Amino acid sequence: MGNSQLLKELGKIVANDALLHNKEDVKPYECDGLSAYRELPMVVVLPDTIEQVQAILQLCHRLDVPVVARGAGTGLSGGAVPHKEGVLLSLAKFKQIIHIDQNRRIAVVQPGVRNLAISEAVKPYGLYYAPDPSSQIACTIGGNVAENSGGVHCLKYGLTVHNIQRIKLITIEGELLTIGGDGLDSAGFDLLALITGSEGMLGVIVEVTVKLLPIPERAQVILAAYDDIEKAGEAVGNIISAGIIPAGLEMMDKLAIQAAEDFVHAGYPTDAEAILLCEVDGTNAEVSEHILKVREIFKASGATEVRTAKDEAERLIFWKGRKAAFPAVGRIAPDYYCMDGTIPRKQLPYVLKTISVLSAEYDLAVANVFHAGDGNLHPLILYDANNPGELERTEEFGGKILQLCVDVGGTITGEHGVGIEKINQMCVQFNSEELTQFHAVKFAFDTKGLLNPGKAVPTLHRCAEFGAMHVHKGKLPFPELERF
Amino acid sequence: MTSQDITQELQARVASALQNNTPLCIQGGGSKSFYGRLPTGDILDTSKHSGIINYEPSELVITARAGTPLSVIETALVEHHQILPFDPPHFSDTATIGGTIACNLSGPRRAYTGAARDFVLGCKIINGKGEVISFGGEVMKNVAGYDVSRLMTGALGTLGVLLEVSLKVIPKTASEITLTVEHELARSLNKIHRLANIDLPISASCYDGIHSYLRLSGSEGAVRYAQQVIGGNELSSADSFWQKIKEHQHGFFNSDKPLWRLSVASDTQPIDITGKWFYEWGGALRWLISDAPVNVVQGAAQSAGGHATLYRGTDAMRNDCFQPLSPALYTLHKKLKHAFDPQGIFNPGRMYADF
Ligand SMILES: Cc1cc2nc3c(=O)[nH]c(=O)nc-3n(C[C@H](O)[C@H](O)[C@H](O)COP(=O)(O)OP(=O)(O)OC[C@H]3O[C@@H](n4cnc5c(N)ncnc54)[C@H](O)[C@@H]3O)c2cc1C
């Protein structure tokens, strides 16, 4: 099959200006938020109706052409990186908020709607959409569903999978499926959960019904500084043990604090080894009660300073530093590499120590930003891609961190997905029977393997090659370090 | 409580079933054998595969073998002031955690905190090739691989034998009260919807035809504040009230006629089918006791954006207990069944006729 036949047939489905194939036109699509992986697609197509998406997928299925769906391209695991012999299917034109229903507290939106745009649109009704990835200004709800994205408020309000009620999905064969319904559950298997987080491997999402929540009467954030990162880690456990589920509970280490402070002047204590940001929300009375408790726990766990934001403006400033942590780190190093493991919280001190030992070994600095409440780590490895071999060293270091997460009972990815980036580490987390089971699931939806090929689930062959070069699962690095 | 790991025995049973091509009927405590289409096949008893494997209150996670009695899990949690957030019904003392997850059954709290599926973090299963495989884990956030753990939840054992499940638990709130007020139906539903648009700590709601009931769970201050906003009278013995609803021991459920569960859009107008109605989940769950034909009940549920399940009825009626799926979804279900259980030995026909 030639490129020209595909273009000709696509041209019958969408208008000319919705079809890009010149090198300079497709270049902006060559990577997602993880710019280390790049590829130019054969063609980019930007449909704007469900019927067009159906026709495009039918065509690709007939001609055996790979398809990669793309939202805003903010993904951090290379999930939306194009296939060089394939179609890049952009959902960017699906920008409508179709319907808001206050009684049912839902919004029906197209997949290209930005995460934050939903909360903005429903604000007049006193409602909001809870999952709030730091990229929420830019990332799309379609991408959020495909990655099962989280945010700083997931500890209390859950991930994308907990906050959606129905999706419309188009299979590679062009069939439109409605999954979920107007009720709280639906008949048959929980396909909604299966699709959520499936990284564009099972179908293309063309509509999402999200659940909305009433905006809490009050939200308040408390900042606590520590001279020792372990104490900060213990404080996190103490809050949870006290029966409080904060709306958000975030941690930053010294390098991240300093970078954020230089960037947005949030008033963070730059001499601290770690800070915790704890947001409590709810009714006025409840928030007042919880603030008192949280302050006590922070002090009892050895905080050197505990500050409660004095008003909404200061609350937003406290958060601004955290939400800008990635770009802030981006200013202090030519490049950074963001990891995304999740661990049982009690392993935090051991994992942090091990990361710092590895950091010295690889001679690469690490800034740590965590969704501490749910054990989701984002170590940011600082490097310079212009130095020969440094990216490779960074990747190897990153791989070790992920292996470490698996070894302590955690996972290689909490919210950013596997994409291409963590495909080798999937071989660490899953054995060949489990991977084969994943392939069987994929086969049930996409027999020809055309949707996002080469992502998310490695072939057994690939794992065999990877395994040959690496230490085996279960061998803890640095056994001499104290563990909890 | 006895704690024992009989994985090998179960795996051997599956292997021989595969060899002889004989279907298995996976059974925990048998407390949900009334649910779904009629069970068939040789009983594979998972109740001896039991025991809590890991419970770390500060991690908000519990992992237990599938045969662990639900009551054992709940007792362990209560000691640490924690609960299963989805309020699962037992329906019998023999209920196990495996059966609970396989059926995805949730109680009154469901509309406000989530269903069983929302709290499943990981599972270990025997698939239809006789392999023991694990998915998810014991951490709150995990997007490595497809979400098989949630797919297992509610699959009625048709995709594999659950061996272990890991669940997220939550702290029990400091204070809990139930308010009640006399209402006619339309006003009751309106009020519940209006209140749901404000951030109040509502944890259960129901309407029995005369009274609305709202349960509040939160900090002392939050509950007291919500009480002022909502008004009404405080119900004494509220725990046993909700317990009876959850376990279907409330007077409403006392009938020999078929019992239907309709899961619909919460603001659906009263559905015009003759029978007795009971409302939960802010209107999103409606119990119906009626002799109306299957297609009438399921048709009405479908028009309301939802689905109807025959909960209790005659064996003959159980054939059609679940809402039919669209042809495209039905085909996909069959393909997924094949992906997990290619020989079709697990609970065949328990969910739908063809798999
Ligand atoms: C600065 C920064 C901060 C971030 N913070 C967070 C955070 O706090 N939490 C978090 O979870 N993530 C975070 N991310 C990651 C990223 O924003 C999320 O993964 C987001 O959900 C991706 O959305 P997107 O629209 O950009 O998707 P894309 O990057 O375009 O695509 C992501 C994946 O989804 C697939 N996909 C996209 N749309 C569809 C569709 N309609 N149908 C089927 N498949 C589709 C793609 O094929 C790809 O595999 C952050 C990223 C950046 C750059």
Side-chain angles (χ1 to χ4, degrees):
Chain A
M1 189 255 345
N3 185 343
S4 57
Q5 189 197 347
L6 177 70
L7 281 181
K8 204 171 102 209
E9 301 228 17
L10 284 171
K12 292 186 207 153
I13 301 171
V14 295
N16 258 341
D17 59 358
L19 205 53
L20 314 174
H21 53 89
N22 293 326
K23 194 168 172 214
E24 60 273 26
D25 294 335
V26 303
K27 183 103 168 111
Y29 298 88
E30 69 177 348
C31 66
D32 63 5
L34 178 63
S35 55
Y37 299 93
R38 292 167 200 261
E39 189 72 79
L40 291 178
M42 187 154 82
V43 49
V44 175
V45 51
L46 296 123
D48 58 11
T49 67
I50 288 183
E51 292 72 25
Q52 287 175 353
V53 177
Q54 286 182 282
I56 293 165
L57 290 172
Q58 268 159 8
L59 174 67
C60 290
H61 186 247
R62 178 160 55 84
L63 300 181
D64 287 329
V65 175
V67 185
V68 178
R70 181 182 178 100
T74 68
L76 288 175
S77 52
V81 171
H83 190 285
K84 70 171 184 289
E85 278 148 21
V87 167
L88 186 98
L89 179 64
S90 166
L91 282 306
K93 289 189 177 170
F94 285 84
K95 277 198 181 131
Q96 298 286 320
I97 293 181
I98 300 168
H99 177 60
I100 297 168
D101 189 323
Q102 186 172 18
N103 246 355
R104 295 184 186 175
R105 293 179 305 291
I106 54 162
V108 182
V109 304
Q110 291 189 328
V113 172
R114 290 172 305 112
N115 173 294
L116 187 61
I118 301 176
S119 287
E120 284 170 350
V122 302
K123 195 172 176 195
Y125 304 92
L127 301 169
Y128 76 112
Y129 175 64
D132 57 343
S134 305
S135 52
Q136 68 182 148
I137 319 171
C139 65
T140 67
I141 191 70
N144 290 175
V145 175
E147 299 286 12
N148 192 16
S149 295
V152 298
H153 287 97
C154 287
L155 182 56
K156 181 166 174 187
Y157 296 107
L159 306 158
T160 305
V161 71
H162 302 107
N163 289 280
I164 58 174
Q165 183 166 312
R166 179 179 51 205
I167 55 172
K168 288 190 179 163
L169 181 87
I170 303 182
T171 66
I172 186 66
E173 282 154 38
E175 185 119 42
L176 178 65
L177 303 177
T178 299
I179 293 172
D182 291 332
L184 293 178
D185 45 38
S186 49
F189 297 147
D190 196 337
L191 299 179
L192 194 59
L194 186 63
I195 299 301
T196 309
S198 66
E199 303 194 21
M201 303 280 292
L202 305 182
V204 175
I205 299 149
V206 290
E207 190 185 290
V208 184
T209 301
V210 299
K211 296 183 192 168
L212 305 171
L213 292 174
I215 298 173
E217 191 181 19
R218 183 174 160 209
Q220 185 63 278
V221 66
I222 303 157
L223 183 157
Y226 289 85
D227 56 11
D228 173 7
I229 200 158
E230 264 182 57
K231 286 189 203 159
E234 276 161 29
V236 171
N238 294 343
I239 302 247
I240 308 284
S241 299
I244 299 173
I245 303 289
L249 185 49
E250 299 284 308
M251 193 196 292
M252 292 164 76
D253 76 354
K254 190 165 198 158
L255 194 51
I257 299 168
Q258 288 171 347
E261 186 55 27
D262 284 347
F263 186 33
V264 301
H265 311 294
Y268 290 169
T270 47
D271 54 343
E273 286 299 319
I275 60 168
L276 291 176
L277 287 170
C278 179
E279 178 149 300
V280 289
D281 68 5
T283 58
N284 202 2
E286 189 173 23
V287 171
S288 301
E289 269 175 61
H290 283 163
I291 286 179
L292 283 180
K293 270 202 199 168
V294 169
R295 288 186 61 102
E296 267 169 36
I297 294 169
F298 280 162
K299 284 185 184 149
S301 54
T304 51
E305 185 190 351
V306 180
R307 253 192 267 164
T308 307
K310 60 179 182 298
D311 51 23
E312 181 64 11
E314 191 170 48
R315 182 180 85 89
L316 294 177
I317 290 179
F318 280 6
W319 276 121
K320 196 170 170 193
R322 165 61 187 90
K323 291 214 171 184
F326 291 9
V329 167
R331 290 169 75 237
I332 60 171
D335 300 283
Y336 71 85
Y337 194 62
C338 173
M339 313 307 298
D340 174 45
T342 305
I343 55 167
R345 262 186 315 265
K346 63 174 178 194
Q347 300 286 0
L348 203 62
Y350 168 73
V351 168
L352 287 177
K353 264 194 210 159
T354 310
I355 290 177
S356 75
V357 172
L358 286 168
S359 164
E361 185 183 309
Y362 281 90
D363 192 21
L364 292 166
V366 179
N368 282 298
V369 182
F370 313 131
H371 303 299
D374 36 35
N376 186 196
L377 316 178
H378 291 319
L380 305 171
I381 307 174
L382 312 190
Y383 72 102
D384 183 349
N386 288 327
N387 293 343
E390 206 158 299
L391 173 62
E392 290 70 23
R393 228 165 68 234
T394 303
E395 284 179 328
E396 194 181 311
F397 180 9
K400 289 240 170 110
I401 295 180
L402 297 185
Q403 169 122 26
L404 174 66
C405 293
V406 175
D407 290 341
V408 300
T411 174
I412 58 171
T413 174
E415 59 181 13
H416 293 167
V418 173
I420 345 185
E421 183 211 8
K422 302 179 201 79
I423 195 130
N424 287 337
Q425 279 72 35
M426 284 292 281
C427 319
V428 177
Q429 186 158 341
F430 295 100
N431 64 29
S432 57
E433 283 90 11
E434 289 154 354
L435 293 171
T436 303
Q437 188 63 69
F438 286 144
H439 287 299
V441 169
K442 166 80 170 166
F443 189 81
F445 282 83
D446 176 16
T447 312
K448 291 183 172 185
L450 294 172
L451 287 166
N452 223 356
K455 314 271 178 67
V457 185
T459 59
L460 298 185
H461 180 70
R462 184 173 182 133
C463 286
E465 281 182 357
F466 175 73
M469 329 179 320
H470 286 257
V471 271
H472 197 64
K473 170 181 186 176
K475 290 265 192 307
L476 284 177
F478 310 109
E480 70 281 8
L481 286 180
E482 187 186 355
R483 298 189 56 215
F484 292 83
Chain B
M1 197 217 61
T2 52
S3 176
Q4 90 178 297
D5 180 346
I6 60 158
T7 303
Q8 284 184 352
E9 188 184 321
L10 293 171
Q11 209 177 357
R13 283 285 312 278
V14 171
S16 85
L18 283 169
Q19 204 161 36
N20 305 324
N21 231 343
T22 47
L24 292 171
C25 167
I26 308 165
Q27 184 175 301
S31 65
K32 316 293 184 295
S33 52
F34 70 87
Y35 186 71
R37 301 177 83 248
L38 278 178
T40 55
D42 298 345
I43 302 245
L44 181 72
D45 181 0
T46 59
S47 66
K48 288 191 189 64
H49 186 64
S50 76
I52 294 172
I53 297 170
N54 184 25
Y55 171 38
E56 304 244 10
S58 70
E59 300 281 328
L60 302 176
V61 177
I62 190 164
T63 298
R65 294 193 186 95
T68 314
L70 196 47
S71 57
V72 166
I73 290 185
E74 289 179 334
T75 307
L77 294 177
V78 164
E79 273 176 38
H80 295 273
H81 306 286
Q82 296 186 333
I83 55 169
L84 289 175
F86 51 98
D87 245 357
H90 294 222
F91 295 137
S92 153
D93 293 343
T94 58
T96 63
I97 191 65
T100 301
I101 297 305
C103 296
N104 188 29
L105 294 185
S106 311
R109 204 178 287 272
R110 190 268 174 258
Y112 306 93
T113 42
R117 58 87 87 171
D118 289 306
F119 298 94
V120 173
L121 299 175
C123 68
K124 187 188 266 189
I125 63 167
I126 305 178
N127 70 4
K129 292 198 235 160
E131 299 161 344
V132 174
I133 50 181
S134 302
F135 300 96
E138 296 189 306
V139 289
M140 296 295 140
K141 290 165 92 175
N142 188 349
V143 292
Y146 305 120
D147 195 344
V148 174
S149 316
R150 289 198 169 88
L151 182 65
M152 289 294 144
T153 312
L156 284 173
T158 57
L159 299 179
V161 184
L162 281 172
L163 291 176
E164 285 170 23
V165 290
S166 297
L167 301 169
K168 178 179 176 181
V169 300
I170 58 170
K172 196 169 158 44
T173 53
S175 174
E176 194 161 276
I177 62 169
T178 296
L179 299 173
T180 170
V181 65
E182 201 172 312
H183 268 145
E184 39 111 8
L185 175 61
R187 278 201 48 211
S188 169
L189 288 181
N190 272 341
K191 176 153 186 176
I192 287 175
H193 281 125
R194 202 164 39 75
L195 292 172
N197 276 296
I198 318 172
D199 185 30
L200 295 173
I202 300 173
S203 67
S205 62
C206 73
Y207 179 71
D208 64 5
I210 302 171
H211 291 94
S212 326
Y213 299 84
L214 278 177
R215 184 174 66 191
L216 303 169
S217 312
S219 72
E220 303 269 347
V223 168
R224 220 171 302 119
Y225 168 79
Q227 183 171 16
Q228 281 164 16
V229 174
I230 296 167
N233 303 315
E234 197 173 331
L235 183 74
S236 57
S237 60
D239 282 355
S240 90
F241 175 78
W242 293 109
Q243 172 79 7
K244 282 183 181 152
I245 290 173
K246 183 176 79 167
E247 298 297 344
H248 288 185
Q249 290 157 352
H250 183 280
F252 168 84
F253 296 98
N254 192 1
S255 165
D256 295 332
K257 290 190 180 176
L259 171 67
W260 286 93
R261 173 196 189 272
L262 285 81
S263 171
V264 293
S266 60
D267 62 349
T268 302
Q269 291 302 305
I271 295 170
D272 190 18
I273 295 178
T274 312
K276 284 201 309 167
W277 289 90
F278 189 93
Y279 296 76
E280 274 196 82
W281 300 1
L285 179 67
R286 301 173 185 206
W287 299 102
L288 167 66
I289 292 177
S290 168
D291 281 323
V294 171
N295 58 337
V296 169
V297 181
Q298 289 180 335
Q302 190 171 10
S303 313
H307 64 113
T309 306
L310 177 75
Y311 230 68
R312 291 180 198 262
T314 60
D315 283 358
M317 288 177 79
R318 281 177 72 176
N319 253 336
D320 305 311
C321 62
F322 294 117
Q323 187 92 21
L325 300 170
S326 72
L329 278 181
Y330 198 63
T331 307
L332 186 55
H333 274 66
K334 283 195 276 189
K335 287 185 182 168
L336 276 169
K337 167 74 174 179
H338 186 77
F340 282 88
D341 179 16
Q343 269 176 248
I345 57 159
F346 296 134
N347 287 0
R350 184 76 189 263
M351 188 181 241
Y352 288 102
D354 294 329
F355 59 88

